[in-house]
Amino acid sequence: MEYLEQLLLSHLPDRDETESLKRIADDIIGQINSICLKAKIDAVPIEVGSVSKHTNLKCSDIDIFITFSKEYSTEFIEKKGLEIGHTVLKNGIEKYAEHPYVSGTIDNISVDIVPSFMIEKGQHIVSTVDRTPLHTEYVNNNTDPQKIHDILLLKVFMKLINVYGSEIAVSGFSGYLCEVLIIHFGSFENFIKHMSGLKGKLRVPEDFPEERYREPVIIIDPVDPNRNAGAAVSEENLARLKLASNLYISGNYSLFKDKGEIHENRGTFIKIFTMPRPDIIDDIIYPQAVRLGNKLFKIFSKYGFMPVSSEIYCGKNIQILIEYEREEMPELLIHQGPPVYSSEAIKFINIWQKSEKLLRGPYIMDNRVYVDIKNNTEQFDTLFRREIEKTDIGKNLDEFKNDINVINYKNGMKLEVVEKFYSKYLFS
Amino acid sequence: MEYLEQLLLSHLPDRDETESLKRIADDIIGQINSICLKAKIDAVPIEVGSVSKHTNLKCSDIDIFITFSKEYSTEFIEKKGLEIGHTVLKNGIEKYAEHPYVSGTIDNISVDIVPSFMIEKGQHIVSTVDRTPLHTEYVNNNTDPQKIHDILLLKVFMKLINVYGSEIAVSGFSGYLCEVLIIHFGSFENFIKHMSGLKGKLRVPEDFPEERYREPVIIIDPVDPNRNAGAAVSEENLARLKLASNLYISGNYSLFKDKGEIHENRGTFIKIFTMPRPDIIDDIIYPQAVRLGNKLFKIFSKYGFMPVSSEIYCGKNIQILIEYEREEMPELLIHQGPPVYSSEAIKFINIWQKSEKLLRGPYIMDNRVYVDIKNNTEQFDTLFRREIEKTDIGKNLDEFKNDINVINYKNGMKLEVVEKFYSKYLFS
């Protein structure tokens, strides 16, 4: 049996799980219906998410949307939604997406109960969650057992090559995108064939003008022609999918599972910056950590330490690794002055030619005045503290500015970001 | 008395020199006239050059053109030109510009006798030397004693700031350009004022469309509207003239004479490449030496030695200095592979993941495959010989490829290029 089909088997829920999912969902829907009937609330509970579409892999959660009439106010549905959620989920806690909602477990299965407005296809949505029931309806109307099988296969494939999930830290393909892609291309094989020959952006429909969206993946949402459902997918993940499709077609599976071996002694230097991780979801913290990483990279660059690569880990704490080629700042600074025609040029000459730091010049290159001067060489840690002091490092990270710890990496140190850095590989 | 006027006095020919120049030129013209009369050759000797325009500084030479009727062939005028030249200049030797000509001395004054065709303004020229008599005529028709004084002042100024001379190694302003500029702007003061406020290209006429020529100096030749007489002036020399004009206006003369002090210990490395200088004129050798310098700079750059500056000396021999920041090649090479969609991508992965040189990956960035690998580090001298072996280093330099000597500079070594490098200054 083919490798991917075998892998799929190990990812499918067993009969017990499937029965539990159905029983629990039916039970919740029954409860909500009777609550609404009693309280005369115009609302319908709808099961959404992969379970409702039969495209669920093992250990899925149950998503129940309570769709309220558009006559109600947002405040009303949020208040009632939480009330009903807590009634149904005894151990539920409140979470927040676009509306607050209740999240809990029944028989070890996660359940979310989310309020939304009742929307028909083509109607104006109030918040993006309102679209979810339309997605469920679309998928259910356009799939059959073969397509469902191929959707599951695609999800397993996406997981295998680490491009599954729309969280920012992943920036991959959501379950809904897998469904839309199989519906559009008809089968897993067709889609993989398409990907293996694709040079530019992934577009669905394929003739959609690529300049309309700047993102590398353009998948027009079948229930909303003004939305690019593929906007969250990164260039790298699209590239991984293309390469993986080529490997799949050539029958070369080993690369999917391989991990990089660790080779230290790269002839470079590595510093690691660690800081506490605020208790806020990944989708908010991760982009801030990435921006901080870029800022650190720029500091290395600005002072001539020649950074060459970096890595970020955002888990229990935040760890940023910067690899660089130069341990000390350059002693020589070729200092560009103003254009010769400006009044600043003579000032620049007068100042620098008396300077103790002057090594050569002033001289003229192109149409500017230059001097070669002795650089103010400093240790990285000193200038780093000064630079970081005057930098905004992110809304939720700023308060931890003074808690950033700078580690000079030495071979063998155990840190998540080091493991991630050294084992960087095609699909990890 | 003003500094520049005083400097001019020391550059003017004395009465003896002026009388000798006149006597010798008149005598040569008389001789040529009688030779042509006797041999029934339709040709007129004309004195050209600065002496004929009274714009000559000390130690000028005499230029006599024999302008032949356009009825004659080029072969004829070249043959006759040399015959007459040798008759008049007993110690003359043959040189070659666009036509061969005879160059010699009389009473220690250099004399050139050059054949050309007789051209009226607006007529089609055969070679560029044919234009020279028109330049003489134009200048003589458009100058008066005040303008001649200011032309001499401008020439002295240009010499002072090292931008005088149209040879390629200088790439500055010719005597003729000084004349055209003073005629156009009316006086030295006017021209300097114009330069001191000028941001972009120097253009004469000032409303000439600057995109018509790519050169930084556009001076339309008054005797040929299709010729940019300023084409040879470099961007740096234009910049020097702008800065010098600002300094002149602010009365700041000291900078013109200053030279840079020598500061060694720049915290960098310096190699000097020396090679024999072929016995060919500067205008041909110098550009080849510059191109060789650029090639050397690129070799340093390609292998990661981080070149930062260079200097060239082209005198008795050729000396090229390259300053660089890195003594050894980097040990890490971030090696970019093909785009993921190409069939080469899988080949690249298969080759590199088995390589002993692999340090990390293969991994994906943007839409390409990469590996981090151990660099083949080599000593500069080894790779330099290999690179230079396969490089064309210039028509007249190629035969000396194997005679290039590589010197690791150490403080205190005496070499012309080192002196030039360290003393680089605004006007030198």
Side-chain angles (χ1 to χ4, degrees):
Chain A
M1 196 190 208
E2 207 230 301
Y3 171 73
L4 208 57
E5 293 284 355
Q6 211 148 21
L7 192 65
L8 171 57
L9 283 185
S10 68
H11 277 80
L12 290 179
D14 58 19
R15 185 182 299 223
D16 274 2
E17 187 183 343
T18 304
E19 281 173 2
S20 298
L21 288 168
K22 185 165 166 38
R23 179 178 42 78
I24 295 166
D26 287 351
D27 182 46
I28 293 171
I29 285 173
Q31 284 188 56
I32 295 174
N33 269 327
S34 71
I35 292 168
C36 291
L37 197 65
K38 249 187 229 160
K40 298 195 171 144
I41 296 169
D42 184 4
V44 179
I46 299 179
E47 187 181 4
V48 298
S50 61
V51 176
S52 71
K53 296 176 277 190
H54 312 289
T55 59
N56 54 309
L57 296 174
K58 229 180 218 174
C59 303
S60 279
D61 51 6
I62 292 174
D63 294 304
I64 307 289
F65 274 37
I66 313 174
T67 63
F68 290 83
S69 160
K70 281 183 84 178
E71 303 297 310
Y72 296 118
S73 69
T74 300
E75 292 70 36
F76 178 85
I77 74 157
E78 289 185 352
K79 188 167 158 274
K80 285 292 159 195
L82 290 177
E83 268 179 36
I84 300 170
H86 283 300
T87 310
V88 175
L89 296 172
K90 301 304 178 203
N91 63 1
I93 54 164
E94 289 178 20
K95 290 190 177 174
Y96 200 92
E98 292 197 65
H99 304 299
Y101 65 96
V102 177
S103 182
T105 55
I106 295 177
D107 296 351
N108 272 327
I109 291 173
S110 296
V111 180
D112 289 345
I113 295 181
V114 181
S116 75
F117 284 109
M118 230 178 272
I119 305 282
E120 301 290 321
K121 192 178 165 177
Q123 269 189 325
H124 187 68
I125 60 164
V126 181
S127 86
T128 59
V129 293
D130 303 340
R131 219 187 267 113
T132 307
L134 300 179
H135 289 166
T136 303
E137 197 187 338
Y138 170 77
V139 173
N140 280 325
N141 289 343
N142 289 280
T143 46
D144 55 25
Q146 180 265 322
K147 284 208 177 68
I148 285 175
H149 167 271
D150 281 13
I151 288 167
L152 289 164
L153 209 58
L154 182 56
K155 283 187 177 184
V156 169
F157 189 61
M158 295 272 196
K159 268 178 189 277
L160 178 66
I161 63 171
N162 278 308
V163 303
Y164 186 67
S166 58
E167 315 90 272
I168 295 177
V170 178
S171 294
F173 293 79
S174 66
Y176 179 57
L177 285 181
C178 292
E179 292 155 355
V180 171
L181 287 166
I182 294 300
I183 292 169
H184 177 79
F185 288 97
S187 71
F188 179 77
E189 292 292 330
N190 282 353
F191 174 60
I192 294 298
K193 254 181 224 154
H194 179 75
M195 289 311 297
S196 72
L198 188 67
K199 286 195 181 180
K201 295 185 176 193
L202 167 58
R203 287 177 286 167
V204 172
E206 289 146 76
D207 59 356
F208 192 87
E210 67 165 29
E211 62 285 358
R212 281 274 294 284
Y213 290 101
R214 59 180 180 79
E215 290 91 357
V217 173
I218 303 173
I219 298 173
I220 301 307
D221 192 340
V223 308
D224 183 350
N226 293 313
R227 174 176 180 250
N228 176 14
V233 182
S234 71
E235 166 113 49
E236 270 83 6
N237 282 334
L238 173 61
R240 286 192 181 97
L241 183 57
K242 288 176 181 174
L243 180 66
S245 300
N246 278 328
L247 291 169
Y248 175 86
I249 281 178
S250 65
N252 196 340
Y253 297 112
S254 66
L255 287 173
F256 296 134
K257 293 168 292 180
D258 281 358
K259 264 205 134 185
E261 273 177 49
I262 291 181
H263 300 277
E264 293 187 316
N265 302 321
R266 291 162 62 87
T268 55
F269 305 99
I270 289 176
K271 280 191 199 282
I272 296 158
F273 303 79
T274 64
M275 67 186 297
R277 180 233 160 87
D279 188 20
I280 294 174
I281 58 165
D282 261 13
D283 274 7
I284 292 176
I285 289 302
Y286 189 81
Q288 292 182 31
V290 169
R291 278 196 294 275
L292 175 57
N294 293 341
K295 277 176 184 160
L296 293 175
F297 198 93
K298 274 185 197 148
I299 294 174
F300 278 84
S301 185
K302 174 178 169 185
Y303 289 95
F305 291 95
M306 301 179 60
V308 287
S309 62
S310 66
E311 191 57 83
I312 286 174
Y313 166 82
C314 187
K316 308 172 307 294
N317 66 349
I318 294 172
Q319 302 171 7
I320 297 169
L321 177 156
I322 309 279
E323 178 182 36
Y324 56 104
E325 291 206 315
R326 197 158 177 161
E327 201 171 14
E328 306 284 345
M329 280 173 69
E331 290 175 50
L332 169 70
L333 192 67
I334 296 178
H335 181 39
Q336 188 190 63
V340 288
Y341 52 77
S342 82
S343 61
E344 300 303 311
I346 296 181
K347 277 187 217 159
F348 179 90
I349 293 166
N350 286 331
I351 289 169
W352 281 110
Q353 70 173 359
K354 283 176 219 135
S355 166
E356 283 186 3
K357 291 203 261 163
L358 184 74
L359 285 174
R360 192 163 73 128
Y363 57 89
I364 288 173
M365 268 206 311
D366 303 324
N367 68 339
R368 285 179 180 271
V369 192
Y370 284 80
V371 281
D372 293 354
I373 55 176
K374 273 198 201 94
N375 204 355
N376 286 326
T377 54
E378 284 180 289
Q379 290 305 302
F380 179 85
D381 291 28
T382 316
L383 64 89
F384 161 72
R385 295 290 168 198
R386 192 178 61 238
E387 285 281 334
I388 217 70
E389 190 54 49
K390 61 187 184 195
T391 308
D392 172 11
I393 66 164
K395 193 177 169 218
N396 304 101
L397 302 186
D398 253 349
E399 58 178 308
F400 299 105
K401 247 185 196 181
N402 296 322
D403 303 320
I404 300 178
N405 191 17
V406 187
I407 300 166
N408 291 313
Y409 176 75
K410 285 187 188 62
N411 285 350
M413 280 185 185
K414 294 277 174 229
L415 271 164
E416 287 84 351
V417 75
V418 171
E419 165 75 19
K420 194 173 166 190
F421 174 79
Y422 277 115
S423 63
K424 186 170 172 136
Y425 198 68
L426 293 168
F427 304 109
S428 64
Chain B
M1 198 188 205
E2 209 230 300
Y3 171 73
L4 209 58
E5 293 285 355
Q6 212 148 20
L7 192 64
L8 171 57
L9 283 185
S10 69
H11 277 80
L12 289 179
D14 59 19
R15 184 182 300 221
D16 274 4
E17 186 181 344
T18 306
E19 280 173 3
S20 298
L21 287 168
K22 185 162 166 40
R23 179 179 42 79
I24 294 167
D26 287 351
D27 181 47
I28 292 170
I29 285 173
Q31 283 189 57
I32 294 173
N33 269 328
S34 72
I35 292 168
C36 291
L37 197 65
K38 247 186 233 161
K40 297 197 172 143
I41 296 169
D42 183 4
V44 179
I46 298 178
E47 187 182 5
V48 298
S50 62
V51 175
S52 71
K53 297 177 274 189
H54 312 288
T55 59
N56 55 309
L57 297 174
K58 232 179 216 174
C59 303
S60 279
D61 52 5
I62 293 174
D63 293 304
I64 306 289
F65 274 38
I66 312 173
T67 63
F68 290 82
S69 160
K70 282 184 84 178
E71 305 297 311
Y72 295 118
S73 70
T74 300
E75 292 69 37
F76 177 84
I77 74 159
E78 289 184 353
K79 188 166 158 274
K80 286 292 157 194
L82 289 177
E83 270 178 36
I84 299 171
H86 284 299
T87 310
V88 174
L89 295 172
K90 301 303 178 202
N91 62 2
I93 55 165
E94 289 179 22
K95 290 188 177 174
Y96 201 93
E98 292 196 66
H99 303 298
Y101 64 96
V102 177
S103 181
T105 56
I106 295 176
D107 296 352
N108 272 326
I109 291 172
S110 295
V111 180
D112 288 346
I113 295 181
V114 181
S116 76
F117 285 109
M118 228 177 274
I119 305 282
E120 300 291 319
K121 190 177 167 180
Q123 270 189 326
H124 186 69
I125 60 165
V126 181
S127 86
T128 60
V129 294
D130 302 341
R131 221 187 266 115
T132 308
L134 299 180
H135 289 165
T136 303
E137 196 187 339
Y138 170 77
V139 173
N140 279 326
N141 289 343
N142 288 279
T143 46
D144 55 24
Q146 181 265 322
K147 284 207 179 66
I148 285 175
H149 168 270
D150 281 14
I151 288 165
L152 290 163
L153 209 58
L154 182 56
K155 285 187 176 184
V156 168
F157 188 62
M158 297 270 197
K159 270 179 187 276
L160 178 65
I161 62 172
N162 278 308
V163 302
Y164 186 68
S166 58
E167 315 90 272
I168 295 178
V170 178
S171 294
F173 293 80
S174 66
Y176 179 57
L177 284 182
C178 293
E179 293 156 354
V180 172
L181 287 167
I182 294 299
I183 292 168
H184 178 79
F185 288 96
S187 72
F188 178 77
E189 291 293 330
N190 282 353
F191 174 60
I192 295 297
K193 254 180 225 155
H194 178 75
M195 289 311 297
S196 70
L198 188 67
K199 287 194 179 179
K201 295 185 175 192
L202 167 59
R203 288 177 286 167
V204 172
E206 288 146 75
D207 59 356
F208 192 87
E210 65 165 31
E211 62 285 358
R212 281 274 294 283
Y213 290 101
R214 61 179 178 77
E215 289 91 356
V217 173
I218 303 173
I219 298 172
I220 301 306
D221 191 340
V223 308
D224 183 350
N226 293 314
R227 174 178 180 248
N228 175 14
V233 182
S234 71
E235 165 114 48
E236 271 83 6
N237 282 334
L238 173 62
R240 285 191 182 98
L241 182 57
K242 287 176 181 175
L243 180 66
S245 300
N246 278 329
L247 291 169
Y248 175 86
I249 280 178
S250 65
N252 196 339
Y253 297 112
S254 66
L255 287 173
F256 296 135
K257 293 168 292 180
D258 281 357
K259 264 204 134 186
E261 274 177 47
I262 291 179
H263 300 277
E264 293 187 315
N265 301 322
R266 292 161 60 89
T268 54
F269 306 98
I270 289 175
K271 280 191 198 283
I272 296 159
F273 303 79
T274 63
M275 67 186 296
R277 181 233 158 89
D279 189 19
I280 294 175
I281 57 166
D282 261 11
D283 273 7
I284 292 175
I285 289 302
Y286 189 82
Q288 291 182 32
V290 169
R291 279 196 292 275
L292 175 57
N294 293 342
K295 277 175 184 159
L296 293 176
F297 198 94
K298 275 186 197 146
I299 295 174
F300 278 84
S301 186
K302 174 178 170 185
Y303 288 95
F305 291 96
M306 299 180 60
V308 287
S309 62
S310 66
E311 191 57 84
I312 286 173
Y313 165 83
C314 187
K316 309 172 306 294
N317 65 349
I318 293 172
Q319 302 171 7
I320 298 170
L321 177 155
I322 309 278
E323 179 182 34
Y324 57 104
E325 292 206 314
R326 198 158 175 160
E327 203 171 12
E328 306 285 344
M329 279 172 68
E331 291 175 48
L332 170 69
L333 192 66
I334 296 176
H335 181 38
Q336 189 189 61
V340 288
Y341 53 77
S342 80
S343 62
E344 299 303 311
I346 296 181
K347 278 188 217 157
F348 179 90
I349 293 166
N350 285 331
I351 289 169
W352 281 111
Q353 69 173 0
K354 283 177 218 133
S355 168
E356 283 185 6
K357 291 203 261 164
L358 184 75
L359 285 175
R360 192 164 72 127
Y363 56 89
I364 289 174
M365 268 206 309
D366 305 323
N367 68 339
R368 285 180 179 272
V369 191
Y370 284 79
V371 281
D372 294 353
I373 54 175
K374 272 199 202 93
N375 205 354
N376 285 326
T377 55
E378 284 181 290
Q379 290 306 301
F380 179 85
D381 290 28
T382 315
L383 64 90
F384 160 74
R385 294 290 167 200
R386 191 178 64 238
E387 285 281 333
I388 218 70
E389 190 54 50
K390 62 187 184 195
T391 309
D392 171 10
I393 67 165
K395 192 177 169 217
N396 304 101
L397 302 186
D398 253 348
E399 60 177 307
F400 298 104
K401 249 187 198 180
N402 295 323
D403 303 320
I404 300 179
N405 191 15
V406 187
I407 301 167
N408 290 314
Y409 176 75
K410 285 187 189 62
N411 285 349
M413 280 184 184
K414 295 278 173 229
L415 270 164
E416 287 84 350
V417 75
V418 172
E419 165 75 17
K420 195 174 167 191
F421 174 78
Y422 277 114
S423 63
K424 185 170 173 135
Y425 198 67
L426 292 169
F427 304 109
S428 64

